[in-house]
Amino acid sequence: MNQQQILDQLKQNGNTHIKFAFADIDGILRGKVIHLKKFEAGLSQGYGFCDVVFGWDSQDQGYDNTSFTGWHTGYPDKPCRIDLSTFRTIPWQNDMPFFLADFSGEGNENVPCPRTLLKKIAAECEAMGFHPEFAQEFEWFNFSETSRSLEQKKFTNIEPLTQGMYGYSILRPSQQNSYYYDLVNLLTQFDIPIEGLHTETGPGVYEAAIIHDHVLAAADKAALLKNSVKEIASMYGIMASFMAKWSEKLPGCSGHIHQSLWSADKATNLFYDEADELNMSELMKHYVAGQLYCLPHLIPMYAPTVNSYKRLVEGAWAPTTITWGVDNRTTSLRVLNHAPEYTRLETRIPGADSNPYLALAASLASGLYGIKHKLPLALPPVSGNGYTHKSNGNIPGNLYEAAMTMKNSAIAKELFGSAFTEHFTNTRIWEWRQFSQHVTDWELKRYFEII
């Protein structure tokens, strides 16, 4: 639909307001509801939005270590632009018209907007003659809690929606039948088509896979899925959490990325080669080699929180080494190669807490780096336990180490520019500082009496 068709439809439907949102540096959707007249006027001029949304953290605390915006700039407005191609209606909110937005275009050259960054990487890919096809899948835990109950309980004795370890259960979803099928049906109506939804191992945990799409549309759907699941869950008195690791006693929550490059007409999967022993084309081998080479420089874009690294431990269904393998779930990169239409790479480092725009941008940019430089896939595939293959390096053990590596990385600056790399890594260092200043329950229990 073009601009006029959308406006005509909104007016014919009697819509007086629309909702729009964009993702901040943490992947959290920020936005507002505006009148149809303001929506129409802003289509040509943009919508002024306070740039504090890229100058504060997930708790709305302003960064003191970034230069993009702050008290020193007065937190001015930046022109936010709605992408009309993202038009959909929200079925659980009386079909409210909804759009995604970003901070692309003139005047926004230095705005650290995640969606704008991914658009730039996608354009580079298409200029090379490739169509990038992506999908991100998520695991998350569901709890019989609300934000009020958690605050009253001080985040202790949190009650999962169901009990016990019961992966791929038919029984557990039937016990929450209305919620389970509302997830499938409402998300699909909201143009987030669900390929599969099932329980994972753990009390109250679900996993959803989204049908693959162009990389930008895939990131849009991933970002919307996380927010939409929370909204739908809240209608049932349920809280959905996409934390990477909410309990050290349970598996973490992943946000794996599936990706392939196709011909510009989308007719041929360029990753597949029937003549190759592993059915991998030279293009795919360069792509995998690029990801392996760039991984140490980009980890915070896959694992952006302090909590992310609690998931990346041995024996917890998450990788710890810079490795690849064919259909191997213990490596960082998993190649799936059983048929031309399904041959793809799965990047397994991202957790459910990742910002989809940044995680997909990191995957695509690093794969393209391997193609541009024709990097050979010299590292052999791992067959067996990838946790024991440490010769090519390990994933950093905490956010500070990963952020400092990326901050000082020439590779990161080449892929994403110095301004974005500086701003993003400083926000991760800020996140580490907030954690480091906090006294945890673990410290109290360990040191209060005995030390």
Side-chain angles (χ1 to χ4, degrees), residues 74-124:
Y75 291 115
D77 281 354
K78 293 290 185 183
C80 177
R81 292 178 170 83
I82 285 176
D83 185 339
L84 294 179
S85 71
T86 65
F87 174 45
R88 65 239 297 149
T89 58
I90 309 174
W92 59 93
Q93 292 179 1
N94 297 319
D95 288 324
M96 165 71 82
F98 178 87
F99 300 85
L100 282 165
D102 56 46
F103 289 77
S104 56
E106 185 178 352
N108 286 333
E109 289 78 11
N110 293 319
V111 178
C113 172
R115 190 174 192 267
T116 301
L117 181 70
L118 179 57
K119 286 170 69 173
K120 176 178 176 291
I121 304 301
E124 292 175 2

Side-chain angles (χ1 to χ4, degrees), residues 100-397:
L100 282 165
D102 56 46
F103 289 77
S104 56
E106 185 178 352
N108 286 333
E109 289 78 11
N110 293 319
V111 178
C113 172
R115 190 174 192 267
T116 301
L117 181 70
L118 179 57
K119 286 170 69 173
K120 176 178 176 291
I121 304 301
E124 292 175 2
C125 179
E126 288 162 354
M128 295 172 67
F130 309 130
H131 168 83
E133 194 76 5
F134 275 64
Q136 190 168 15
E137 59 185 12
F138 291 104
E139 298 165 343
W140 73 91
F141 278 84
N142 298 281
F143 300 92
S144 299
E145 303 285 358
T146 65
S147 56
R148 183 179 297 275
S149 71
L150 285 177
E151 189 66 31
Q152 291 173 341
K153 294 164 67 172
K154 301 187 184 303
F155 289 83
T156 60
N157 301 315
I158 304 174
E159 183 181 350
L161 184 62
T162 58
Q163 301 300 314
M165 311 290 275
Y166 202 167
Y168 302 107
S169 171
I170 298 299
L171 172 63
R172 287 289 184 254
S174 71
Q175 295 168 340
Q176 301 291 336
N177 190 61
S178 296
Y179 170 53
Y180 186 78
Y181 287 107
D182 257 0
L183 286 174
V184 175
N185 296 326
L186 293 177
L187 289 171
T188 299
Q189 291 172 39
F190 193 46
D191 193 23
I192 308 174
I194 299 302
E195 185 177 70
L197 177 67
H198 62 87
T199 66
E200 261 292 355
T201 183
V205 61
Y206 287 171
E207 177 177 342
I210 308 171
I211 293 176
H212 54 82
D213 205 336
H214 179 274
V215 64
L216 183 61
D220 287 343
K221 291 171 183 178
L224 287 173
L225 179 137
K226 292 174 69 173
N227 188 76
S228 300
V229 165
K230 294 174 185 178
E231 291 184 355
I232 295 168
S234 69
M235 297 191 301
Y236 289 90
I238 295 169
M239 177 167 283
S241 175
F242 288 79
M243 270 186 75
K245 186 92 164 180
W246 84 273
S247 171
E248 73 278 6
K249 299 175 183 177
L250 295 169
C253 292
S254 69
H256 301 157
I257 298 169
H258 295 258
Q259 64 226 263
S260 55
L261 297 183
W262 290 64
S263 57
D265 61 2
K266 308 179 194 178
T268 305
N269 185 348
L270 302 177
F271 275 5
Y272 184 80
D273 182 357
E274 186 177 5
D276 183 74
E277 181 182 5
L278 298 178
N279 292 338
M280 294 172 64
S281 68
E282 286 302 307
L283 187 83
M284 186 179 192
K285 292 176 182 178
H286 292 322
Y287 189 96
V288 173
Q291 283 211 7
L292 289 169
Y293 181 79
C294 295
L295 265 180
H297 304 267
L298 309 178
I299 294 297
M301 296 179 77
Y302 299 122
T305 73
V306 171
N307 183 252
S308 302
Y309 298 81
K310 306 293 177 69
R311 170 182 161 266
L312 299 171
V313 295
E314 291 187 13
W317 297 99
T320 60
T321 56
I322 300 174
T323 47
W324 75 282
V326 177
D327 201 9
N328 190 331
R329 288 183 169 87
T330 69
T331 56
S332 288
L333 305 181
R334 174 185 174 223
V335 169
L336 295 116
N337 61 351
H338 60 281
E341 61 270 32
Y342 298 118
T343 295
R344 63 194 186 276
L345 177 66
E346 179 187 34
T347 301
R348 296 178 56 81
I349 296 173
D353 59 344
S354 60
N355 179 336
Y357 295 105
L358 298 186
L360 270 62
S363 293
L364 181 56
S366 56
L368 293 178
Y369 182 91
I371 293 171
K372 292 173 185 175
H373 295 273
K374 291 184 168 49
L375 296 183
L377 186 54
L379 188 71
V382 171
S383 59
N385 189 350
Y387 296 120
T388 64
H389 289 254
K390 304 177 186 292
S391 60
N392 199 47
N394 293 331
I395 295 170

